[in-house]
Amino acid sequence: MENLYPAPATRAEVQFYPLGESAVVVQFGDAIKRHTHREVQALSAYLDAHPFPGFIEYVPAFTTVTVYYNPLEINPPNEASLYEVVTETLRHMLLQTTTEAEPHESHVVEIPVCYGSKYGPDLAFVASHAHLSPEEVIALHTQPEYLVYMIGFAPGFPYLGGMPEQLVAPRKDKPRPKVPAGSVGIAGKQTGVYSIQTPGGWQLIGRTPLNLFTPHGQTPSLLKAGDYIRFVSITEREYERTQQHES
């Protein structure tokens, strides 16, 4: 099939490949970078505003956007395949995102966290591993504004970027069968918040009383890709008071 919409020179690294018979993966490089995140956000925003015939949904990730479509609603011209038609459509969209689409307006969400004690049973381990005091770990963890790169693993679970290098810690040798919702953890170079109760192997340093996922809410997930969050240290009393309000 003739390439009607060549990729822009500045996006020579963009690659396409099929995922089964009803999805195309658009890959913007192979490293987690803020520029790559903006590319993912730009295409996602364009798909929100300009869904093509047969489009079902898209799934943004660190470096990719996977676009799902209904094969029965797409009529390929001549001998072109469905994959070729959708890929060309996405190439055309990428051209438009350079001038029309902008990522959604980002905002900073404050996440109150009660660090240590029964809410963060691994805070002492993380502090020892980093050769820091627990108070220094808390000070470092609450310092940055973390970018939400993607939502995944579990509904409402944010994958964050920007954790200080001093706080890098290994996963637990034996995962916990049940990690309470709201638990704040560290695994390798990442930190995150368990949005629901699941098994998990991250080092738990605290817990937020906020509900990150409310399945019957108008917007089930508190966070979305492109947001920034800031962790704020609170006392146990403040945790309990906020939890009562959230219930």
Side-chain angles (χ1 to χ4, degrees), residues 3 5-17 24-30 35-36 39-40 43 63-65 83 87 90-95 97-98:
N3 186 353
Y5 309 108
T10 56
R11 291 181 171 174
E13 73 277 12
V14 177
Q15 295 181 327
F16 302 85
Y17 55 88
V24 173
V25 179
V26 185
Q27 182 159 6
F28 298 91
D30 56 4
H35 171 72
T36 303
E39 297 277 24
V40 170
L43 178 57
T63 61
T64 64
V65 177
Y83 169 72
T87 298
L90 294 172
R91 285 182 184 276
H92 177 67
M93 287 184 167
L94 288 176
L95 286 173
T97 60
T98 59

Side-chain angles (χ1 to χ4, degrees), residues 140-153:
L140 282 170
H141 195 256
T142 54
Q143 189 174 18
E145 288 183 353
Y146 298 87
L147 173 61
V148 180
Y149 275 94
M150 58 180 285
I151 301 295
F153 163 62

Side-chain angles (χ1 to χ4, degrees), residues 111-124 126 137-138 141 176 179-186 191-194 202-209 231-234 239:
I111 305 292
V113 179
C114 185
Y115 287 92
S117 67
K118 62 182 178 182
Y119 300 118
D122 301 322
L123 177 61
V126 172
V137 170
I138 296 170
H141 195 256
R176 292 182 171 91
V179 175
S183 294
V184 177
I186 289 175
T191 186
V193 187
Y194 286 84
W202 291 32
Q203 305 287 350
L204 306 183
I205 61 173
R207 194 185 305 171
T208 179
F231 294 113
V232 178
S233 179
I234 61 173
Y239 176 96

Side-chain angles (χ1 to χ4, degrees), residues 43-57:
L43 178 57
S44 299
Y46 194 88
L47 285 165
D48 282 334
H50 306 281
F52 59 86
F55 169 77
I56 297 177
E57 64 174 348

